[in-house]
Amino acid sequence: MIIEVSLTEIAKTTRQAAQKSAGLSTEVKNQAIEAVAQALETAAPKILAANKLDCQIAQTNGIAKPLYNRLKMDEAKLNSAIAGLRNVSILADPVGTVQIHRELDEGLILKRITCPLGVIGVVFEARPDAVIQISALAIKSGNGVILKGGKEATNSCQELVTAIRQGLATTSVNPDAVQLLTTREETLELLKLDKYVNLIIPRGSNSFVKFVQENTQIPVLGHAEGICHVYVDKSADIQKAVAVTVDAKTQYPAACNAVETLLVHTDIADKFLTEVFPMMEKHQVELRGDAATRKILPSVKVATEVDWATEYSDLVLSIKVVDNLESAIAHINTYGSGHTDAIVTEDRETAELFLAQIDAAGVFHNCSTRFSDGFRYGFGAEVGISTQKMPPRGPVGLEGLVTYKYQVVGDGHIAATYSGDRPKVFTHRDL
């Protein structure tokens, strides 16, 4: 009961801080972001020391390699996150945009204007740099945020949020706009606070996202698994296909936009797989293939039905040879998570069919799935990648953290004037 009361108070203060942030100017919010960036730079030694401690504890507890890679934050990774934070200040303010400006009648004006959502609860994996990204987006969009990182990153997240709040304390943004939870019990209580929290963003497995959806009345923006595919078509340029596939798997295998299954057209399979195999060996990628793949590459392990539905987040890649484009599309739409899928082909018509028929937030042609990212899209950062169909979909940046309200300004106008025997007519003129 103590947890529930204290968490309710946290949510209340976050909501109050968010309400004040909603009216701040772009300049004031950008100043707050810069203050946070400077505070993080000052606190860098403490942050890195806390992360080192988290990593040591995690290794002692036998953390999985993909999770460890996400957890570890060195100086370069921290500096990159701070640079991303500053990039958010360059972006256009998503609040206060007039989407509709319409005269309903003379002196009666309608506007639809973007505004913050309010309070966002983000529950994410052991990835401390997400704290910086999410906080930056919340500040710029005028929202409050309640963060809950993975237990493995507790010390790192605490140091990061301490620095962020210290930076905000020197600005017009109330530090209470950024809060941190540290226990699983608090996560469960957070899901009950529909009176104060406007959106929950869970970042984790499909089962975790489903658990959240089933245990809250708060709207949920699902960031689930990244079972991504690359399909190498019969009309692919071999060198392009090799480069795209190797990058999509090895550039950062722990990321949710890394490729997990490679599909290859049977007409090009022998030539392509022979070319890509030594490159995968060089990067120490474990390959698992179907029967057709193993005829070409006998040394690879056998791929099972489970492999097609697995997010490895590691240097593991399953391979399947398909007879045609239709088979590739059917496989992706059956086993994919709706994250990001790519085709490599020089046939434009084939590419257009793939882009149109694949059911995913990101559909790419002749480029790596690793481009599916808020920073690379020019969003500055992201709170997550939504794999659901309802918008926002894909990398969720500033535009995904605002809603809108309708403002109508009149001069004593009443609805009765526009009904009855001699009703007045609306002008409905866009201004």
Side-chain angles (χ1 to χ4, degrees), residues 68-88:
Y68 179 81
N69 290 337
R70 293 177 181 177
L71 171 63
K72 188 175 181 181
M73 175 182 276
D74 56 18
E75 186 176 357
K77 195 171 183 179
L78 177 58
N79 289 338
S80 176
I82 294 173
L85 170 74
R86 286 192 165 106
N87 284 337
V88 173

Side-chain angles (χ1 to χ4, degrees), residues 26 42 54 128 150 158 173 191 220 251 371:
T26 304
T42 300
D54 282 333
Q158 286 176 329
V173 176
L191 301 181
V220 176
Q251 200 267 336
F371 285 106

Side-chain angles (χ1 to χ4, degrees), residues 231-238 241 263-275 290 292-293 296 320-328 344-345 347 350:
Y231 167 55
V232 179
D233 182 55
K234 65 180 180 180
S235 299
D237 177 296
I238 293 291
L263 303 174
V264 187
H265 194 289
T266 185
D267 291 358
I268 203 173
D270 200 326
K271 187 175 182 181
F272 170 73
L273 291 175
T274 302
E275 290 269 351
D290 66 349
T293 299
I296 301 167
K320 183 176 184 179
V321 176
V322 295
D323 293 331
N324 48 47
L325 172 67
E326 290 74 21
S327 297
V344 183
T345 184
D347 186 308
T350 297

Side-chain angles (χ1 to χ4, degrees), residues 230-261:
V230 170
Y231 167 55
V232 179
D233 182 55
K234 65 180 180 180
S235 299
D237 177 296
I238 293 291
Q239 296 309 310
K240 284 183 188 178
V242 169
V244 167
T245 304
V246 171
D247 182 86
K249 180 71 265 183
T250 68
Q251 200 267 336
Y252 184 36
C256 60
N257 57 16
V259 65
E260 307 293 16
T261 298

